[in-house]
Amino acid sequence: MADTPKTATLTIGDKSYELPIHSPTCGPDVLDIRKLYGQAGVFTYDPGFTSTASCDSTITFIDGDVGELLHRGYPIDQLASKSHYLEVCYLLLYGELPTAGELEKFENTITRHTMLHEQMQYFFRGFRRDAHPMATMVGVVGAMSAFYHDSTDISDPYQREVASHRLIAKMPTIAAWAYKYSIGQPFVYPRNDLDYAANFIHMCFSVPAETYHVDPILSRAMDRIFTLHADHEQNASTSTVRLASSSGANPFACIAAGVACLWGPAHGGANQACLEMLKEIGTVDKIPEYIARAKDKNDPFRLMGFGHRVYKNFDPRATVMKQSADEVLDLLGIEDNPILQVAKELEKQALEDPYFAEKKLFPNVDFYSGIILEAMGFPTSMFTPIFALSRTVGWVSQWKEQLADPQLKIGRPRQLYLGNAARDYVDIENR
């Protein structure tokens, strides 16, 4: 016997309305209000959509209260420890972990899509030298639709597939070239003999004048940064991609919209904010002063990179990232870098302080990823571009899922209007 569908009763005045309740695989039940306006003539009010499910999805699940992040059901710590980025990309795109043959074919496809159309170099050269790399990325990613006409028809499954591969493959090249352009060095082309993470590092730090060897510890750390930022459910930039996609926009425009949203400091700039805080602290001897300020409710100073808006007890990504941070610092050392010295001592003192344990202000993934990128030699202006290239597979997976959804409708949020009611125009001489 089938279970009786669950409903909720909403009473407005002397009328009641039955609203369906949907039960997900994981997480709280969802109240279906799609017919509420038609039946009752009212909207719901939810600024930021923090209590509203905008879609159904099978890609990522987060339970912030218990510190859980699942990609297609697999815990993020297992994926980050046992897998690698392109395997996780396959999982996010297609729903299952690949066989050895499927993974080899996918890696080969991505590797051979990493080059950019040669004329795209002129786009980079059109920016000022001091342009932020994210400004460059927003423009270049959006401009891809002007070069790859054969993968912009969203009604064609084959073209959607080609666009997905191109975006994942070319984003590291775009990010690396944005960096090279900002520092006045020549562009370095991708190499097919390097893996995804090592290729990105090589394009960022090698120069034509000499051979550059990518240390496997750094490559593994970068791969983990990519993996741990691959997708994060219906966050601001992912929702932006879905909203842009709902209008039928081409894939490159949709992902460019995601890049633009991620640029916001409240979203993608968290690890940059963390490094700027470490620079503000300056030296190890000032840490107690700043910890005291962080405890003072009347002081505006906040410890960046500690605690998380979503994860209430611990960030499941932070444990794996801490391991990589320790490995990178052991390899590169911190003796000549006061920022990294401050970071290590701040981590130690914060973890030992009962106040931070009580408030659950644990070091999060942004704290450790910021340390790693600083140690590698990336300027803070490159932190968000690296986040963007990591998140591209999540955006693309969500984009593909939405286009295949038979319930797809153009996004059109409602509003609580508090402006003037209708009024007559007054001629200028009478105002």
Side-chain angles (χ1 to χ4, degrees):
M1 182 176 177
D3 292 337
T4 303
K6 292 190 291 185
T7 62
T9 302
L10 173 66
T11 300
I12 303 175
D14 59 353
K15 293 185 178 181
S16 295
Y17 306 91
E18 294 295 314
L19 301 175
I21 295 177
H22 304 297
S23 296
T25 307
C26 304
D29 286 348
V30 176
L31 191 65
D32 188 339
I33 61 168
R34 282 176 291 180
K35 296 182 179 180
L36 181 60
Y37 177 62
Q39 293 176 347
V42 297
F43 298 138
T44 56
Y45 183 58
D46 182 22
F49 309 110
T50 56
S51 298
T52 300
S54 61
C55 63
D56 56 57
S57 180
T58 63
I59 299 173
T60 298
F61 173 74
I62 298 171
D63 187 335
D65 291 334
V66 299
E68 183 177 60
L69 170 59
L70 306 177
H71 289 328
R72 304 288 191 180
Y74 294 99
I76 189 62
D77 55 332
Q78 292 183 23
L79 292 173
S81 299
K82 301 178 180 181
S83 186
H84 63 278
Y85 182 65
L86 283 186
E87 186 174 37
V88 172
C89 287
Y90 187 99
L91 172 67
L92 291 171
L93 285 171
Y94 303 113
E96 299 292 342
L97 289 170
T99 64
E102 289 170 337
L103 181 59
E104 181 180 4
K105 180 180 178 181
F106 181 70
E107 290 178 330
N108 187 62
T109 299
I110 297 301
T111 298
R112 278 154 182 77
H113 269 304
T114 52
M115 289 182 63
L116 296 179
H117 193 290
E118 192 69 8
Q119 283 186 300
M120 293 188 76
Q121 287 196 27
Y122 297 113
F123 272 83
F124 288 88
R125 295 191 168 99
F127 290 95
R128 283 175 51 131
R129 280 289 179 189
D130 57 355
H132 194 289
M134 280 297 278
T136 305
M137 287 190 71
V138 170
V140 174
V141 173
M144 288 176 71
S145 58
F147 289 87
Y148 302 107
H149 303 141
D150 60 343
S151 57
T152 57
D153 183 356
I154 63 172
S155 65
D156 184 342
Y158 175 76
Q159 291 200 29
R160 292 202 300 266
E161 191 79 353
V162 173
S164 301
H165 293 160
R166 280 175 169 160
L167 281 160
I168 294 167
K170 299 181 189 303
M171 196 65 79
T173 309
I174 293 172
W177 284 18
Y179 172 58
K180 283 295 196 183
Y181 184 76
S182 71
I183 60 175
Q185 290 188 1
F187 297 138
V188 175
Y189 288 88
R191 278 176 39 182
N192 290 352
D193 61 320
L194 296 176
D195 63 47
Y196 192 86
N199 189 39
F200 174 66
I201 295 173
H202 185 268
M203 287 190 291
C204 287
F205 294 120
S206 66
V207 292
E210 59 187 46
T211 301
Y212 180 84
H213 172 70
V214 181
D215 191 286
I217 292 178
L218 301 185
S219 177
R220 178 60 176 157
M222 183 61 73
D223 188 270
R224 280 181 170 169
I225 288 176
F226 293 164
T227 299
L228 293 171
H229 291 87
D231 192 56
H232 212 239
E233 213 192 72
Q234 303 307 315
N235 55 79
S237 58
T238 299
S239 298
T240 299
V241 170
R242 278 184 172 264
L243 190 61
S245 171
S246 74
S247 73
N250 72 72
F252 307 110
C254 294
I255 302 308
V259 175
C261 181
L262 189 74
W263 194 359
H267 186 10
N271 51 10
Q272 180 173 341
C274 175
L275 259 290
E276 289 169 352
M277 174 202 69
L278 295 175
K279 291 176 181 178
E280 179 184 345
I281 295 174
T283 55
V284 171
D285 61 291
K286 292 183 179 178
I287 291 176
E289 171 193 341
Y290 279 87
I291 286 182
R293 289 182 59 188
K295 296 177 182 180
D296 184 354
K297 294 181 180 179
N298 297 319
D299 193 309
F301 176 77
R302 294 291 180 266
L303 279 182
M304 306 303 295
F306 288 78
H308 197 278
R309 187 176 66 85
V310 174
Y311 301 108
K312 305 305 181 185
N313 288 292
F314 70 96
D315 186 340
R317 304 167 296 174
T319 303
V320 181
M321 194 64 85
K322 172 177 168 52
Q323 178 186 344
S324 285
D326 291 339
E327 292 171 354
V328 168
L329 294 184
D330 286 344
L331 173 69
L332 301 177
I334 62 173
E335 295 80 10
D336 299 325
N337 192 323
I339 294 175
L340 297 179
Q341 293 173 7
V342 169
K344 290 297 289 183
E345 184 60 27
L346 178 60
E347 176 198 29
K348 177 176 180 293
Q349 292 191 28
L351 290 175
E352 292 174 351
D353 193 314
Y355 174 87
F356 292 101
E358 178 185 340
K359 299 289 185 181
K360 298 175 182 176
L361 294 175
F362 45 84
N364 60 34
V365 69
D366 299 308
F367 180 81
Y368 293 117
S369 63
I371 291 174
I372 291 171
L373 296 175
E374 165 70 22
M376 285 185 178
F378 285 102
T380 54
S381 62
M382 274 299 293
F383 288 10
T384 314
I386 290 170
F387 193 166
L389 88 84
S390 307
R391 184 55 55 82
T392 296
V393 67
W395 292 332
V396 168
S397 300
Q398 301 271 352
W399 168 76
K400 286 183 64 183
E401 180 181 65
Q402 176 167 294
L403 290 179
D405 187 350
Q407 302 181 92
L408 173 61
K409 293 182 179 181
I410 187 170
R412 181 49 170 96
R414 300 296 186 168
Q415 65 176 8
L416 172 63
Y417 178 69
L418 299 175
N420 291 305
R423 50 182 175 169
D424 292 329
Y425 180 82
V426 178
D427 292 335
I428 193 167
E429 61 269 16
N430 296 325
R431 294 177 208 161

